Amino acid sequence: QKEVEQDPGPLSVPEGAIVSLNCTYSNSAFQYFMWYRQYSRKGPELLMYTYSSGNKEDGRFTAQVDKSSKYISLFIRDSQPSDSATYLCAMSPNTGANSKLTFGKGITLSVRP
Amino acid sequence: DTEVTQTPKHLVMGMTNKKSLKCEQHMGHRAMYWYKQKAKKPPELMFVYSYEKLSINESVPSRFSPECPNSSLLNLHLHALQPEDSALYLCASRPVRRDRNSGANVLTFGAGSRLTVL
């Protein structure tokens, strides 16, 4: 079993839809959870950062972490064509320079006008 | 300045060439990273520098040679590469802090250098 599993997609939705992206993980030591967005031929950019369990909201984006189920989600409300990108979940057990991020494989989202 | 700047954006090289990728950040981050990303795959860690010292080498072949001349700069020297080394090379940095809610685990990535080895 991989440490982090992410539905590979791709996912296509109409503009205005609510999008739900999910990752599961097996390492109970993970405490820090991130979602990165990567446009084609660009580097990943951070969307959301969460420590431990709970919800975090930023504009149209909501990140949820359920450590008991080892499950994290990213919700995008009122999706826009500009949200079309690859979304990567990432997580790590601790802070520090040598703390490695473990990434999911990424899911490509397409929002149709 | 909240950016990680990578040059060149694109590089084409032959298998016998020597070239370098450069990365610069002025956010005061003391941890810097090289990642390799193949198409439709997540980034794979190559090297970690902490306070300008190499702290992690993920068993990367010696044809890739990293260098951290100072706290703002990170280089990746390339020599005798293979076509399978063609990829997007990403530099990243992050602060080194212990405050769990400070986002100290958050990597800031550059736009990448797209390398093609012929």
Side-chain angles (χ1 to χ4, degrees), chain B residues 1-15:
Chain B
D1 188 350
T2 57
E3 284 190 348
V4 175
T5 303
Q6 289 189 244
T7 55
K9 290 192 182 342
H10 301 277
L11 178 63
V12 179
M13 59 186 292
M15 289 190 285

Side-chain angles (χ1 to χ4, degrees), chain A residues 4-20:
Chain A
V4 178
E5 301 270 9
Q6 183 175 8
D7 183 355
L11 181 62
S12 180
V13 302
E15 184 173 355
I18 296 175
V19 176
S20 172

Side-chain angles (χ1 to χ4, degrees), chain A residues 31-32 34 36 38 40-46 49 51 88 92-101 103-106 108, chain B residues 31 33 35 37 41-43 45 48 50 55-56 58 88 90 94 96-98 100-101 103-107 109-111 114:
Chain A
Q31 296 191 79
Y32 300 86
M34 287 136 279
Y36 283 86
Q38 186 171 21
S40 181
R41 300 182 173 274
K42 299 287 188 184
E45 59 175 322
L46 180 75
Y49 166 81
Y51 167 69
L88 295 149
S92 71
N94 46 40
T95 60
N98 293 340
S99 177
K100 297 181 188 179
L101 284 189
F103 287 91
K105 285 193 167 183
T108 298
Chain B
Y33 305 77
Y35 280 83
Q37 187 177 27
K41 299 285 188 184
L45 182 64
V48 179
S50 176
S55 56
I56 293 179
E58 289 286 292
L88 182 68
L90 295 162
R94 71 179 178 196
V96 183
R97 293 197 292 263
R98 294 192 179 278
R100 59 185 52 174
N101 288 318
N105 262 2
V106 172
L107 288 177
F109 284 92
R114 186 160 298 279

Side-chain angles (χ1 to χ4, degrees), chain B residues 21-39:
Chain B
L21 306 180
K22 298 186 183 303
C23 174
E24 190 167 2
Q25 58 88 13
H26 296 286
M27 295 178 280
H29 292 175
R30 301 307 295 272
M32 296 186 75
Y33 305 77
W34 280 114
Y35 280 83
K36 173 182 177 179
Q37 187 177 27
K38 300 282 263 185

